Amino acid sequence: SSAAAKTDVKVQNKGTDEEENDKDDKAAQSLLNKLIRNNLVNNTNQVEVLQKDPNSPLYSVKSFEELRLKPQLLEGVYGMGFNRPSKIQETALPMMLAEPPQNLIAQSQSGTGKTAAFVLAMLSHVDPNKRYPQCLCVSPTYELALQTGKVIEQMGKQYPEVSLVYAIRGNKLERGVKLQEQIVIGTPGTMLDWCGKFKFIDPKKIRVFVLDEADVMIATQGHQDQSIRIQRMLPKNCQMLLFSATFEETVWNFAQRIVPEPNIIKLKREEETLDTIKQYYVLCNSREEKFHALCNLYGSITIAQAMIFCHTRKTAGWLAGELSREGHQVALLSGEMQVEQRAAVIDRFREGKEKVLVTTNVCARGIDVEQVSVVINFDLPVDKDGNPDNETYLHRIGRTGRFGKRGLAINMVDSKMSMNILNRIQEHFSKRIEKLDTDDLDEIE
Ligand code: ADP
């Protein structure tokens, strides 16, 4: 039948030369960010605060000492190399550590210190002498839960009386067991079973409930419901905390069902700009010509490190091969790689072990490799309808204002269609993209 034929085509496209599918990629992207991040992102924006009770004074702290943490925890924080609270932590921590506990919804991009903040809150609130679960933390996937668990272990290093357990599918407990660990971290389905069906956890004794990565969470069918069902088992005075990197309407609606009477903290992502970027395009007729233009570029200007973006896995693989044959040290980032493998590739590139990183769109989304001075769009970014993807263009080559070094962006054009895309991108940003003659490259140095 024609329906069956249609399905065939779809499947074929997905596995071969279709732009990579990012539908289920949110959790992977988030994990990747965690794996490669080893410090805070820069953000010069102001934190926006909406208090549940606007008349109560707003405290913010500039040091961890001001929080009067348990000495073991202060040691743990300093042991992680933190000197002072991050922007979001300055306001979030006093709220989370207040007595009586306050509820919080916090939104800021990944890398701003949310996880460290709620881990500190959980560790501060547990009573190590009580041998039963007091804090629950739900994450969208097993891998993300593990990452948070690692932070708990690091920060709680000097506090061995507190222990944690993972409520994840593979973790089978005997019937009738009562957990002794103070902190339980896991995925919504298993957590719900452990509180409800199996009664490993007495939800009435929970004092802190954390829901992490709310935006990733609601992308998975069923997680929203399960989370709400867990939340309903908890006592009224349990502290509810919810975190998200983005805040669409759907996330907001969900957040309000999870967190009653919340304080709200938002930190806007820093705007990216093309102001400090020199943009060029190179006119070619084919993939091979684009490759030759690229070689000419390498032959004539000094490129410390470059990122090269391709539309498909196939092109990325081909280009990486060709460049290696030319003697370049090339790293390839591609969608079929495991997240851990991808993180390793990015790490090597950041350490300078490879000078060229060839990648597809989806793979590199949300990754900041700050030292990259040259970005090459081997294919221009387009959405699934073939229209210019301005947002991706900006994200690939844009820099955030204050910290942005000057950069160079080179766009490869190989058809009327891609010329049209380029023109539309140029119009969209009202920033001229100059033509570059790769046989005469004096002008760009
Ligand atoms: P998020 O949860 O918002 O993605 P994280 O809490 O994971 O952010 O923090 C991002 C990175 O910054 C981590 O490597 C973390 O160890 C580090 N970090 C967090 N808070 C601080 C701080 N106050 N000072 C220095 N580094 C920090």
Side-chain angles (χ1 to χ4, degrees):
S1 75
S2 68
K6 249 191 206 150
T7 318
D8 276 353
V9 171
K10 237 185 175 167
V11 170
Q12 210 181 12
N13 273 345
K14 202 173 158 196
T16 57
D17 215 17
E18 175 100 317
E19 183 175 2
E20 285 179 68
N21 199 333
D22 67 343
K23 199 175 90 247
D24 310 312
D25 224 41
K26 265 193 144 163
Q29 208 62 56
S30 180
L31 180 61
L32 186 58
N33 261 320
K34 283 189 197 288
L35 292 175
I36 61 172
R37 177 143 288 139
N38 44 27
N39 50 21
L40 294 164
V41 297
N42 291 316
N43 191 313
T44 54
N45 289 332
Q46 289 293 321
V47 173
E48 298 164 44
V49 183
L50 203 73
Q51 282 181 282
K52 168 196 69 175
D53 173 7
N55 296 320
S56 78
L58 177 65
Y59 295 106
S60 83
V61 291
K62 291 287 177 200
S63 74
F64 286 110
E65 273 85 5
E66 289 170 72
L67 293 167
R68 313 201 167 284
L69 300 167
K70 293 192 177 74
Q72 305 96 304
L73 290 179
L74 191 61
E75 242 181 277
V77 166
Y78 286 138
M80 292 178 80
F82 301 178
N83 296 321
R84 66 190 65 80
S86 72
K87 236 180 195 183
I88 192 119
Q89 289 164 1
E90 286 178 359
T91 359
L93 283 171
M95 279 177 183
M96 289 195 282
L97 301 180
E99 279 303 335
Q102 300 188 11
N103 291 347
L104 175 69
I105 294 174
Q107 180 253 321
S108 60
Q109 79 197 82
S110 98
T112 46
K114 298 185 297 297
T115 306
F118 71 70
V119 165
L120 189 54
M122 288 198 292
L123 286 169
S124 299
H125 285 310
V126 294
D127 181 345
N129 300 314
K130 295 181 176 151
R131 310 292 300 168
Y132 55 79
Q134 299 155 45
C135 302
L136 302 185
C137 174
V138 288
S139 288
T141 66
Y142 162 62
E143 290 85 0
L144 288 166
L146 270 180
Q147 290 305 312
T148 305
K150 282 191 185 151
V151 180
I152 298 175
E153 260 154 27
Q154 268 181 299
M155 205 176 274
K157 212 173 185 172
Q158 312 298 331
Y159 203 14
E161 308 91 295
V162 176
S163 53
L164 74 103
V165 61
Y166 293 96
I168 48 177
R169 199 173 313 160
N171 204 356
K172 297 256 183 292
L173 304 181
E174 271 176 49
R175 285 203 170 256
V177 163
K178 295 279 178 240
L179 291 175
Q180 309 231 316
E181 290 83 356
Q182 294 91 347
I183 301 177
V184 188
I185 162 160
T187 45
T190 307
M191 191 75 90
L192 179 62
D193 283 348
W194 284 21
C195 289
K197 193 155 93 190
F198 299 124
K199 302 200 162 35
F200 299 144
I201 299 167
D202 179 357
K204 286 282 164 263
K205 290 182 173 162
I206 300 301
R207 300 174 57 190
V208 184
F209 177 59
V210 178
L211 192 142
D212 192 20
E213 312 233 18
D215 49 351
V216 183
M217 196 73 97
I218 61 169
T220 305
Q221 192 76 35
H223 275 175
Q224 189 159 337
D225 247 34
Q226 289 159 346
S227 302
I228 287 164
R229 285 170 62 195
I230 298 168
Q231 194 264 10
R232 286 197 190 132
M233 296 180 187
L234 305 173
K236 276 270 166 313
N237 63 353
C238 174
Q239 183 177 35
M240 315 275 177
L241 308 169
L242 179 140
F243 300 86
S244 186
T246 61
F247 233 124
E248 308 87 70
E249 188 75 20
T250 46
V251 181
W252 178 236
N253 292 338
F254 174 55
Q256 288 190 307
R257 296 182 68 188
I258 291 283
V259 185
E261 301 184 25
N263 291 303
I264 299 160
I265 297 182
K266 285 186 191 180
L267 178 61
K268 284 213 180 73
R269 161 185 279 283
E270 186 140 17
E271 295 284 334
E272 289 162 317
T273 151
L274 298 178
D275 288 348
T276 52
I277 309 296
K278 288 218 85 147
Q279 302 174 75
Y280 293 99
Y281 74 92
V282 184
L283 205 52
C284 305
N285 286 308
S286 64
R287 189 171 85 161
E288 283 67 25
E289 262 190 52
K290 291 200 285 188
F291 173 65
H292 284 299
L294 193 57
C295 292
N296 281 346
L297 266 173
Y298 265 99
S300 22
I301 64 168
T302 323
I303 299 178
Q305 272 197 311
M307 263 176 108
I308 307 180
F309 289 91
C310 301
H311 191 53
T312 63
R313 291 179 193 181
K314 198 169 143 195
T315 307
W318 169 81
L319 183 60
E322 293 295 305
L323 285 167
S324 311
R325 256 189 291 285
E326 288 286 313
H328 294 283
Q329 294 161 278
V330 185
L332 174 64
L333 206 59
S334 179
E336 68 266 22
M337 294 163 77
Q338 296 290 314
V339 172
E340 287 77 9
Q341 280 179 299
R342 289 192 227 171
V345 169
I346 294 167
D347 267 346
R348 286 176 55 85
F349 181 67
R350 290 212 300 197
E351 287 164 19
K353 291 195 174 111
E354 273 99 19
K355 307 293 179 213
V356 190
L357 180 66
V358 178
T359 178
T360 53
N361 291 341
V362 170
C363 264
R365 190 170 295 159
I367 296 171
D368 313 300
V369 187
E370 273 138 32
Q371 75 266 33
V372 173
S373 54
V374 182
V375 174
I376 295 164
N377 287 321
F378 197 78
D379 297 304
L380 293 168
V382 290
D383 63 21
K384 55 185 184 317
D385 304 319
N387 290 313
D389 184 346
N390 296 313
E391 200 187 322
T392 299
Y393 185 84
L394 178 64
H395 189 64
R396 276 184 193 177
I397 71 171
R399 303 289 149 101
T400 56
R402 222 174 72 178
F403 301 94
K405 288 182 282 202
R406 279 191 79 77
L408 180 63
I410 295 168
N411 297 292
M412 303 283 190
V413 171
D414 63 359
S415 63
K416 275 218 177 77
M417 211 169 73
S418 56
M419 193 65 221
N420 174 269
I421 303 278
L422 187 93
N423 283 329
R424 285 161 71 190
I425 290 175
Q426 181 170 250
E427 268 165 44
H428 178 88
F429 292 107
S430 310
K431 281 262 175 290
R432 207 174 142 69
I433 307 178
E434 309 222 26
K435 185 170 177 187
L436 188 69
D437 181 357
T438 47
D439 296 323
D440 177 20
L441 287 163
D442 299 338
E443 55 192 300
I444 65 172
E445 267 201 306

